[in-house]
Amino acid sequence: MIGPVLFRRRARVELRPPDTPADWASGAWRDWDPPLNVVTGEAYRQRELQALAGPPRENGWLVPVEACLVRERRNPHDPNAIRVEVRGLHVGYIARGVAQ
């Protein structure tokens, strides 16, 4: 006979506050240099991106978000693939050269 199964309660993990600069609300970020594009394949994920940010805008729109990086070791095209998810939606992959 197998003994009783004990379950442990997971420790609560507290999220860090966003690390956006204090001047974010003033719109100063519009003068920043564009970020390095390390996410690829987003052209194939337009439905997901529109669900997150709304329709495309004439001058674009920068929205700071927290992204989850998920290793896909069984990806048939790249064993080093890293999927990028935002709010549970798959929005692209980390560029192959960076993922290695």
Side-chain angles (χ1 to χ4, degrees):
M1 176 177 232
I2 298 176
V5 177
L6 300 177
F7 293 96
R8 286 191 193 151
R9 182 175 255 178
R10 284 188 182 181
R12 285 192 67 119
V13 177
E14 292 190 32
L15 297 177
R16 293 181 300 139
D19 60 353
T20 52
D23 63 351
W24 181 263
S26 71
W29 56 269
R30 294 179 189 272
D31 296 327
W32 297 350
D33 288 332
L36 295 175
N37 190 8
V38 297
V39 177
T40 63
E42 66 274 13
Y44 299 104
R45 304 288 175 183
Q46 291 301 300
R47 189 175 338 141
E48 292 85 349
L49 291 168
Q50 284 188 17
L52 293 165
R57 292 166 179 81
E58 183 177 324
N59 295 323
W61 192 271
L62 294 176
V63 179
V65 296
E66 184 175 312
C68 183
L69 305 179
V70 181
R71 175 75 67 183
E72 286 187 353
R73 296 200 186 278
R74 294 189 176 157
N75 184 304
H77 305 287
D78 181 5
N80 295 316
I82 300 175
R83 182 176 67 239
V84 179
E85 294 180 356
V86 175
R87 296 187 196 149
L89 297 175
H90 179 185
V91 297
Y93 286 93
I94 295 294
R96 188 180 294 243
V98 176
Q100 289 176 341

